[in-house]
Amino acid sequence: MPDGKTVPASPDFAPVKAATDISDFWVFGYGSLMWRPGFDHVEAAPARLLGAHRALCVYSWVHRGTRERPGLVLGLDRGGSCRGIAFRVEGAKRESVVGYLRERELVTEVYHEAWRPVRLEGPTSMTMTALAYLVDRRHEQYAGVLSREELLRHVRDGVGRSGINSDYVINTATHLASLGIEDPVLAWLAGELRA
């Protein structure tokens, strides 16, 4: 996003001020960002992103696996909706937080950084624009839809820079359950991995 510019409005994207703006902004977490955001925030709220869903659809070559033995991590894949957590970040910390997220999420460029509308859930629900990371279906790490058995095999075998793949899946499934968010595939995988 060029400095000092605003993204034009479209049916999919709301107008967003440039990254140099000093106002507070939101970040949408749907996987490990929910339970390990790794950045300072002043508020966290349950939220729903429309137009994309949570899926274990990204071969992990760095954080939870290697090229030789890829693990699997979550991506926001097109279609449906996704419940997660939106984090409000102080505008003064915009540059450092966006820099941290780019280093964490864009290590192999399998994700697109995008500003998407999210609906904050709760007593005073409202729609805000949040920074989100959506999977690039054209990238060679995009796994698409795998059978449960294939998912389990990759997750069991995956180990990368950020640790064991099974820990990532179990932690995410546990956190989703604590928030009352149902994800049958992750719940099944976590059960199999714990067994």
Side-chain angles (χ1 to χ4, degrees), residues 70-104:
L72 284 170
V73 291
L74 294 164
L76 279 175
D77 204 356
R78 69 175 175 232
S81 67
C82 179
R83 290 179 64 203
I85 301 291
F87 299 94
R88 184 167 62 88
V89 179
E90 288 181 65
K93 295 185 178 178
R94 178 181 295 260
E95 188 175 330
S96 64
V97 169
V98 171
Y100 164 78
L101 289 169
R102 287 176 177 165
E103 186 175 312
R104 174 174 168 168

Side-chain angles (χ1 to χ4, degrees), residues 28 30 49-58 73-82 110-112 116 133-138 142-146:
F28 182 73
Y30 59 92
L49 181 142
L50 297 177
H53 65 281
R54 178 187 301 105
L56 208 53
C57 64
V58 175
V73 291
L74 294 164
L76 279 175
D77 204 356
R78 69 175 175 232
S81 67
C82 179
V110 67
Y111 299 108
H112 288 297
R116 298 295 297 266
Y133 292 88
L134 289 77
V135 69
D136 179 357
R137 285 185 161 203
R138 297 166 301 175
Y142 178 66
V145 179
L146 301 175

